[in-house]
Amino acid sequence: MSQEEASSSRAPLSPEEAKAATLKQIEFYFADANLPFDKFLFTLTRKDPEGWVPIETLASFKRMRPMREVLNTQEMAEALRKSEALLEVDAEGLRVRRKAELKPVTDAHTRSIYAKGFPDEYEGLQEELEAFFAQFGKINGVRMRRENEKPRKFKNSVFVEFADAAEKDALLAKAKAVEPVEDGGHGVQYKDVQLQVMSKPAYVEMKMKEKGIDPSDNKPSKGGRKFNAFREMERERHSGSDEPKSTRSDPLEFEYNGQLLCTKPDGTVDAEKVTFPAQSVLRFTNAAQGGSWKDLKDTLTTLHPTSFVDFPADAVEGVVGFRESVSDDKLREIQDKGITVGGSAVSWERVNEDKARDFYVERANFRASFLLDRREADRHAPRRGHRGHARGGGRSGRGGRPAPAPPSSDKRKHADEPPQVEAKRSKTDE
């Protein structure tokens, strides 16, 4: 089995595993090692006068996908309330914020190492790297280094920030025991590869010398992180500028199902203007609890263009919206496939048009809310000609862009067998 196949076939998280992973991941988002350098998330914290960020927004980040397949917002809030010192959750369980004031950490650079020799990127590599370096001590973050130009290919090397300098030094000593290089060497092995490891300061100085740059020159380089919250806050203090006022009530136009919609002051859209294909919504019943909406969507997409699957965790029935009308012949084809959800064969029927409209309006309002959040983040962000909408976790590390769709999960051994949908908890998605 290839590394990619092994990664995509990982078992779903249990509810307790998902809660632990949720706490770990969102603590990372708000940690000193990430938040000051994550433009999108930092500006979201500044949008609210008290620093609150919607949990649903965080749940939409790429690294949260395995957890949002298992937990709803309230269950995530329950997990986040176990944060000992970093986070607090509001009374309604809808928002989270950092407790302590954000302050510069002056020794992060000296507590970090550089390591090279990893394979090309595949789904799940980030988690594997974090687990690998965690055996050497507590780590604050593993950042996969990438090319500057799109598609920003992984450079097969990482920067790792340790929480304790002594544990970083111990790793360097181990590395230096074999073929020393700078203050490290090749004494650390990842799978069957001897890694090149050295401290981050040593790596930076080495690269500067290679490029003919005097290491004593303190001019900022053109590379590296382009956003720094402390630099921006200092600039604002000197300029005396006030924080931008919230503009969420301002109208926002966006396209949905081919129709141009405009938000109202309350952030919702005019339901009468939401369009959708006639006879495009089906209801399924008799599902087993724990069935996966994602596997169901993958199966249905092979039969008819699928827009969304509304199938909350522990539900036994749900709704599917398609991008095109479902003819009577197509409905019979879907019914005759004998699709199972969680091991139970489901039944299919049409949803009346009024109920179908309710589902599409709900999706349109969800889309509007997301776009308003992003616009607010952009308006509160410092304007320095820096474009892009990174969705949490900086440019690498535990966040990044939305995840690409994983491979289809059709588990049939023979072509004439009915499609099988794996058993696991699920959540609405589009």
Side-chain angles (χ1 to χ4, degrees), residues 247-253 262-265 372 375 379:
T247 55
R248 192 176 180 84
S249 60
D250 292 349
L252 171 71
E253 290 187 337
C262 184
T263 58
K264 299 183 291 186
L372 286 169
R375 184 182 69 178
R379 287 187 174 181

Side-chain angles (χ1 to χ4, degrees), residues 393-408:
R395 291 189 293 279
S396 55
R398 292 187 183 158
R401 294 179 178 84
S408 173

Side-chain angles (χ1 to χ4, degrees), residues 5-206:
E5 291 171 334
S7 172
S8 62
S9 63
R10 288 174 297 174
L13 299 174
S14 70
E16 290 308 311
E17 288 173 334
K19 288 181 179 179
T22 294
L23 177 58
K24 179 181 178 182
Q25 187 61 40
I26 294 184
E27 281 195 328
F28 172 80
Y29 288 147
F30 284 89
D32 294 334
N34 181 74
L35 183 58
F37 313 106
D38 182 342
K39 180 180 179 181
F40 182 78
L41 182 55
F42 177 76
T43 51
L44 278 182
T45 66
R46 306 264 283 178
K47 180 183 71 173
D48 184 273
E50 297 181 342
W52 294 109
V53 176
I55 294 175
E56 284 192 355
T57 299
L58 297 170
S60 71
F61 292 173
K62 173 182 176 180
R63 292 295 304 277
M64 293 295 295
R65 184 175 66 190
M67 290 77 92
R68 71 173 179 258
E69 289 185 355
V70 178
L71 305 176
N72 59 34
T73 301
Q74 290 298 317
E75 289 168 328
M76 288 186 179
E78 178 184 338
L80 298 180
R81 287 194 174 101
K82 295 183 179 179
S83 179
E84 294 182 0
L86 184 62
L87 305 176
E88 63 177 320
V89 178
D90 68 3
E92 294 77 19
L94 300 176
R95 301 179 299 170
V96 63
R97 68 180 177 186
R98 180 182 165 114
K99 291 180 181 178
E101 179 184 356
L102 193 62
K103 296 182 179 180
V105 177
T106 58
D107 63 342
H109 185 69
T110 59
R111 285 186 283 102
S112 298
I113 61 100
Y114 162 84
K116 177 182 180 181
F118 300 101
D120 289 342
E121 186 173 10
Y122 54 87
E123 186 177 357
L125 178 60
Q126 175 75 46
E127 294 93 328
E128 291 181 13
L129 295 177
E130 290 168 7
F132 172 74
F133 284 105
Q135 68 181 305
F136 301 107
K138 182 180 179 181
I139 57 173
N140 291 337
V142 176
R143 296 192 178 275
M144 298 171 66
R145 302 179 65 245
R146 299 184 180 278
E147 301 286 352
N148 290 328
E149 302 299 324
K150 292 182 178 180
R152 306 198 68 230
K153 183 181 177 183
F154 176 45
K155 298 170 73 172
N156 307 100
S157 61
V158 300
F159 288 132
V160 183
E161 181 186 329
F162 280 82
D164 188 333
E167 292 177 333
K168 179 265 299 182
D169 292 340
L171 175 62
L172 290 177
K174 179 179 177 66
K176 198 170 185 176
V178 179
E179 298 179 30
V181 177
E182 300 294 334
D183 58 358
H186 296 80
V188 176
Q189 182 170 313
Y190 177 80
K191 297 183 177 178
D192 58 348
V193 176
Q194 296 296 129
L195 300 175
Q196 182 186 90
V197 179
M198 65 184 74
S199 70
K200 186 174 181 179
Y203 170 78
V204 171
E205 184 171 339
M206 179 184 73

Side-chain angles (χ1 to χ4, degrees), residues 412-427:
R412 288 174 288 178
K413 294 181 180 179
H414 305 288
D416 56 351
E417 289 184 5
Q420 300 291 312
V421 176
E422 289 182 344
K424 67 180 178 183
R425 288 167 60 90
S426 53
K427 188 175 185 283

